Amino acid sequence: MKIHYLGTAAAERVPGIFCNCRICRYAREHGGKDLRTQTQTLIDDGELLIDFPGDSYFHLREHQLNFNEIEHLLITHWHSDHLYAEDLAFRMSSYANDLDKKLTVYGNATVHRFFDRAFELEKMIEPERIEFQELAPFEKYQIGEYQVHTLPAVHGQKNGDCFIYVIERDGKRLFYTHDTGFPTDEVLDYLEENQLKLDAISLDCTGQNMTYVGGIHMNLGENLRLIQSLSERGLCDEKTTYVLSHFSHNGGLTHQEMKELADEHQMLTAYDGMLIEI
């Protein structure tokens, strides 16, 4: 399974769209891996796309992608840095020509409402071009070549409006935890009961080395605590790949500073454009 990190920032991006903190000044001056766009991830060269933020068009150009070829789009939650549905409406025939594939968008009931709102504004739907499949929590779905487990995140309204996912294919499993605070016991129990041994965990590290990030994101300390909890349940080990991503400038660390901390724990620090394979 290939995991291509198209964007690795929290909502404001780095540098923040309206910010002049040390991290944002550094990113403007130095560029490179310190420039971060809103989080979006591509699996296996386009067979599955995770999230569709406002920065999706930039990702298309920056990474020479063809979104017309993607048939499966999995949405974590309704915040605009993960779902900018107004751009999805541009797949309809009033805007796009010569398409030979249909895009299916997957997400929970709250995401479904935000998706529908964009098409209601257009006063048009074209299910032969784009349609929505609603997902329930604590279920397993077949999405293309992938088996996807839907798990409630500790995020948003904390009532099932945000999901994290385990994504399986050909014996490989990715635990994708953007955006969430520390997962609930119910989620951890589900992973253990279903024996979902993890090959990779993509960890929300919005808070970097901060002591507290509001309960709806994680920091490095909580990432390590989550890994410990998963390890005690037999769900990860020394062969598991750990990736830190979804960074905020408010976390207070440059890419190199974050990398130095992560390296101490044999964890990867994601950057825009990073590609790994598990």
Side-chain angles (χ1 to χ4, degrees):
M1 183 186 294
K2 296 179 183 178
I3 307 168
H4 191 180
Y5 288 87
L6 307 179
T8 57
E12 312 98 306
R13 312 166 180 92
V14 183
I17 190 168
F18 298 110
C19 187
N20 199 34
C21 72
R22 178 182 78 91
I23 299 304
C24 291
R25 294 196 308 271
Y26 186 93
R28 291 187 186 101
E29 293 169 5
H30 293 84
K33 294 177 182 178
D34 283 283
L35 297 176
R36 298 185 183 276
T37 55
Q38 293 171 335
T39 293
Q40 186 177 38
T41 305
L42 192 65
I43 306 296
D44 291 332
D45 299 322
E47 294 186 47
L48 180 66
L49 181 64
I50 306 177
D51 284 338
F52 204 85
D55 287 347
S56 295
Y57 183 73
F58 175 81
H59 295 160
L60 177 151
R61 294 179 57 181
E62 182 72 9
H63 303 292
Q64 300 179 331
L65 304 175
N66 185 354
F67 284 162
N68 304 322
E69 298 298 315
I70 294 172
E71 298 181 74
H72 305 287
L73 169 59
L74 184 63
I75 303 295
T76 57
H77 64 293
W78 51 274
H79 290 156
S80 64
D81 59 316
H82 292 263
L83 173 63
Y84 191 75
E86 286 80 357
D87 272 355
L88 288 174
F90 293 139
R91 210 175 196 280
M92 294 189 296
S93 57
S94 298
Y95 303 105
N97 304 313
D98 303 325
L99 300 184
D100 60 1
K101 290 182 172 63
K102 181 177 76 174
L103 175 64
T104 302
V105 183
Y106 307 84
N108 59 48
T110 305
V111 170
H112 197 173
R113 292 196 295 273
F114 276 74
F115 175 91
D116 284 348
R117 184 184 69 173
F119 290 85
E120 289 166 2
L121 291 170
E122 292 286 340
K123 300 188 185 310
M124 184 187 304
I125 58 171
E126 288 187 80
E128 67 277 10
R129 282 186 168 229
I130 183 169
E131 66 175 356
F132 195 95
Q133 180 176 324
E134 189 172 309
L135 308 177
F138 295 111
E139 297 287 348
K140 179 181 178 181
Y141 293 90
Q142 187 72 36
I143 297 178
E145 297 296 318
Y146 303 89
Q147 296 80 48
V148 176
H149 298 260
T150 55
L151 303 167
V154 181
H155 195 70
Q157 305 302 317
K158 303 180 185 179
N159 62 3
D161 58 310
C162 305
F163 279 177
I164 53 179
Y165 297 105
V166 173
I167 301 168
E168 301 184 69
R169 182 179 183 179
D170 298 333
K172 296 293 186 179
R173 294 193 186 100
L174 165 67
F175 189 20
Y176 193 82
T177 71
H178 312 288
D179 300 13
T180 189
F182 198 91
T184 63
D185 286 342
E186 190 176 12
V187 166
L188 298 178
D189 289 344
Y190 177 92
L191 297 175
E192 184 175 9
E193 290 164 4
N194 287 274
Q195 299 180 348
L196 297 179
K197 182 72 177 293
L198 303 165
D199 298 281
I201 308 175
S202 192
L203 291 149
D204 184 295
C205 196
T206 305
Q208 296 186 317
N209 205 32
M210 296 172 64
T211 56
Y212 181 66
V213 283
I216 58 171
H217 287 289
M218 287 189 283
N219 55 25
L220 179 60
E222 289 172 311
N223 292 159
L224 294 171
R225 184 162 65 92
L226 175 57
I227 291 169
Q228 180 63 31
S229 179
L230 293 169
S231 176
E232 290 171 355
R233 293 170 180 259
L235 298 172
C236 64
D237 55 27
E238 69 279 357
K239 296 180 181 178
T240 303
T241 299
Y242 304 102
V243 184
L244 306 178
S245 189
H246 198 279
F247 300 113
S248 170
H249 61 107
N250 289 316
L253 300 177
T254 66
H255 172 80
Q256 183 60 35
E257 290 166 348
M258 183 71 250
K259 184 178 183 302
E260 289 172 2
L261 285 178
D263 286 351
E264 294 177 11
H265 304 283
Q266 293 77 53
M267 306 166 90
L268 300 177
T269 301
Y271 55 86
D272 287 19
M274 187 176 82
L275 177 66
I276 67 170
E277 187 167 359
I278 59 172

